[in-house]
Amino acid sequence: VQLQASGGGLVQPGGSLRVSCVASGSIVGINAVCWYREGSGKARDLVAVINPSGNTNYADSVKGRFSLSRHNAENTVYLQMNSLKPEDTGVYYCNICPPSWATIDKLPSGPHEYDYWGQGTQVTVSS
């Protein structure tokens, strides 16, 4: 199973962007999907999770600005990013992750080990 992120681009501070995570198989409806962000020279941090029940969880840095949605028939999870800030700049990746992460009080800190990382998508927030 592979997940590929796409839809990144250049956006001005305060702007919006929606990135997509598409799975190669019908897994979006039965697995939790996590989004990660890797800034230049920084660790790959977990920023958002959505589980099969539709529960979501967000890092404090993006709470209230980012939102997740899933479209099982399309095997796709979307990350809507509003009120973007320069510190949101980075490569965004998605991956399958534990469903429980969507309902715990605070997202677990990394690093998180995965056997495979799909293609990420670059998001640049700059004027």
Side-chain angles (χ1 to χ4, degrees), residues 12-25:
Q12 292 187 340
S16 297
L17 194 65
R18 188 179 77 166
V19 292
S20 305
C21 174
V22 181
S24 61

Side-chain angles (χ1 to χ4, degrees), residues 1 19 23-24 32 36 59 64 66 69 96 108 121:
V1 175
V19 292
S24 61
Y36 289 81
F66 288 15
S69 62
I96 299 297
T121 188

Side-chain angles (χ1 to χ4, degrees), residues 70-81:
R70 61 192 306 147
H71 296 260
N72 296 342
E74 300 171 1
N75 296 319
T76 302
V77 169
Y78 297 103
L79 179 65
Q80 177 68 43
M81 302 182 289

Side-chain angles (χ1 to χ4, degrees), residues 12-13 18 27 45 56 71 88-89 115 118:
Q12 292 187 340
R18 188 179 77 166
I27 61 170
D45 292 328
T56 56
H71 296 260
D88 294 319
T89 294
D115 291 335

Side-chain angles (χ1 to χ4, degrees), residues 55-76:
N55 301 114
T56 56
N57 204 354
Y58 302 93
D60 290 341
S61 61
V62 306
K63 201 169 291 184
R65 300 187 298 118
F66 288 15
S67 63
L68 286 161
S69 62
R70 61 192 306 147
H71 296 260
N72 296 342
E74 300 171 1
N75 296 319
T76 302

Side-chain angles (χ1 to χ4, degrees), residues 2 6 8 11 14 28 33 35 50 52 57 68-69 82 88 97 100 110 115 118 120:
Q2 297 184 5
S6 63
V11 62
V28 170
V33 174
W35 279 94
I50 185 168
N57 204 354
L68 286 161
S69 62
N82 299 326
D88 294 319
C97 57
S100 61
D115 291 335

